[in-house]
Amino acid sequence: MECDKCGDDAVMHAAYSGLHMCEAHFRRSVDSRVRKRIREDSLLSDDATPDDPETWLIGLSGGKDSVVLTHILHDTFAADPRVELVALTIHEGIEGYRDASLDACLELTEDLDIEHEVVSYADEYGLEMDDVADDDPLNMAPCAYCGVFRRDALSQYAESYGADKLLTGHNLDDEAQTAMMNWLSGDVAQMAQHFDASLGSFDDREVDDDPFVPRAKPLRDIPEKEVALYAHLADLPSHMAECPHASEAYRGEIQQYLYDLEADHPGTRHSIMSGYEELARLAAESYRGGDDEPRGECDRCGAPTNNAVCRKCELVDAVGGELASDD
């Protein structure tokens, strides 16, 4: 097949748009959509100046999504003195998995000359995920523990670093799956929280009173397979292996369901997110200031929570870990 724009050999066909694109036009299309999302989400504040730039912390795992995000952000803002990019990699303690992806992170950040920090569960919580997965004292999927620890590490480091925004590499498939899971659970409050946490434009969110560093997902319009193709064509260092402890069975069912729907009805993921974001916005406007918003601090670590002890500290206790000292 030929590229619809220039007649060169096409490297991909986007069924949802009908377009066939060559390598150059495909990469340009991804870049354009990510930059459009950045503009529509008002990611760069009008208050950012060369004398008082914003710091954007990128959650860099070494997988295709975070690597592509870091690459595009660097291409877009490397020469912009209003933005400072910092990459953070979290080492969970998974033998043979995170070490390989860490190598990709180190190679990328060195090539791009981006400041790069590495933190570990061992240092932060006194534990490693291999041991947690083996012991599983609460009889939960490993992802249930790891997700809590990862979110906390990202949030705590972003706050301690003084970051203005926390950026993650969630793609269209990730967000459509989350949207469907929230729909099917009937959790309107979670939809509202999802919008204010990372979906809405910064013009539509209320972030001034948010105890967490605000998040953004600039890749959320890009399908997962297009992110993988972009990483390959751009020859970016990335680690493609799946975590050996990955076991989110319900999300896997939703993922397969959406794959099947998209194959039969191209554009389904985009339609889901378009409607979901609008309804999530309305839910957020209704739920703001409600009882679900964190109103206190954890007695152990000071993290925002409605309980005496936050979920992270509960899990650290359950698995026999120990929080790092502030001394």
Side-chain angles (χ1 to χ4, degrees), residues 36-46 54 56 165 200-204:
K36 180 181 179 183
R37 172 53 58 197
I38 290 171
R39 293 192 301 271
E40 291 185 348
D41 283 354
S42 302
L43 190 56
L44 180 57
S45 170
D46 292 337
E54 285 195 337
W56 293 358
K165 310 278 170 58
S201 164
F202 282 90
D203 290 337
D204 296 330

Side-chain angles (χ1 to χ4, degrees), residues 18-267:
L19 287 176
H20 297 84
M21 287 180 279
C22 66
E23 176 178 345
H25 280 105
F26 166 70
R27 290 179 57 181
R28 193 176 304 166
S29 170
V30 173
D31 291 339
S32 176
R33 281 177 281 163
V34 173
R35 289 165 183 164
K36 180 181 179 183
R37 172 53 58 197
I38 290 171
R39 293 192 301 271
E40 291 185 348
D41 283 354
S42 302
L43 190 56
L44 180 57
S45 170
D46 292 337
D47 296 332
T49 67
D51 293 329
D52 186 21
E54 285 195 337
T55 298
W56 293 358
L57 185 71
I58 307 167
L60 178 62
S61 68
K64 62 184 186 311
D65 302 303
S66 62
V67 164
V68 167
L69 173 62
T70 303
H71 170 80
I72 294 177
L73 289 173
H74 178 266
D75 274 1
T76 305
F77 293 103
D80 191 332
R82 298 172 298 170
V83 176
E84 293 180 352
L85 300 176
V86 180
L88 174 68
T89 300
I90 298 172
H91 198 305
E92 306 94 339
I94 303 174
E95 187 176 359
Y97 171 71
R98 186 54 69 201
D99 289 335
S101 62
L102 178 57
D103 290 341
C105 296
L106 294 171
E107 181 180 345
L108 180 70
T109 53
E110 183 176 343
D111 288 344
L112 300 181
D113 193 25
I114 291 178
E115 183 176 350
H116 182 219
E117 300 288 341
V118 181
V119 300
S120 70
Y121 285 1
D123 290 339
E124 297 297 315
Y125 311 122
L127 58 87
E128 295 192 341
M129 273 308 303
D130 281 340
D131 296 328
V132 173
D134 289 341
D135 296 339
D136 191 10
L138 299 181
N139 194 29
M140 303 192 308
C143 296
Y145 298 96
C146 194
V148 172
F149 297 144
R150 172 173 290 276
R151 284 190 295 272
D152 177 78
L154 284 169
S155 295
Q156 292 298 323
Y157 190 84
E159 181 178 356
S160 66
Y161 199 85
D164 297 282
K165 310 278 170 58
L166 173 57
L167 279 56
T168 60
H170 293 79
N171 58 53
L172 175 63
D173 294 64
D174 297 326
E175 293 304 291
Q177 291 161 22
T178 298
M180 285 298 296
M181 291 167 71
N182 288 342
W183 273 120
L184 295 175
S185 67
D187 196 340
V188 180
Q190 182 61 33
M191 295 179 197
Q193 186 179 27
H194 190 194
F195 181 87
D196 274 341
S198 59
L199 286 184
S201 164
F202 282 90
D203 290 337
D204 296 330
R205 291 195 236 169
E206 290 190 358
V207 298
D208 292 341
D209 297 328
D210 195 328
F212 301 101
V213 174
R215 297 190 178 206
K217 300 170 180 175
L219 289 187
R220 61 189 172 91
D221 298 314
I222 314 299
E224 181 177 20
K225 289 184 178 179
E226 293 187 26
V227 177
L229 179 59
Y230 188 104
H232 171 71
L233 295 175
D235 196 25
L236 298 177
S238 63
H239 183 57
M240 304 297 283
E242 183 177 347
C243 174
H245 301 311
S247 58
E248 293 184 279
Y250 184 47
R251 180 175 287 270
E253 292 179 30
I254 298 297
Q255 179 186 54
Q256 187 58 55
Y257 175 65
L258 289 178
Y259 281 162
D260 295 340
L261 274 179
E262 186 70 27
D264 293 336
H265 309 282

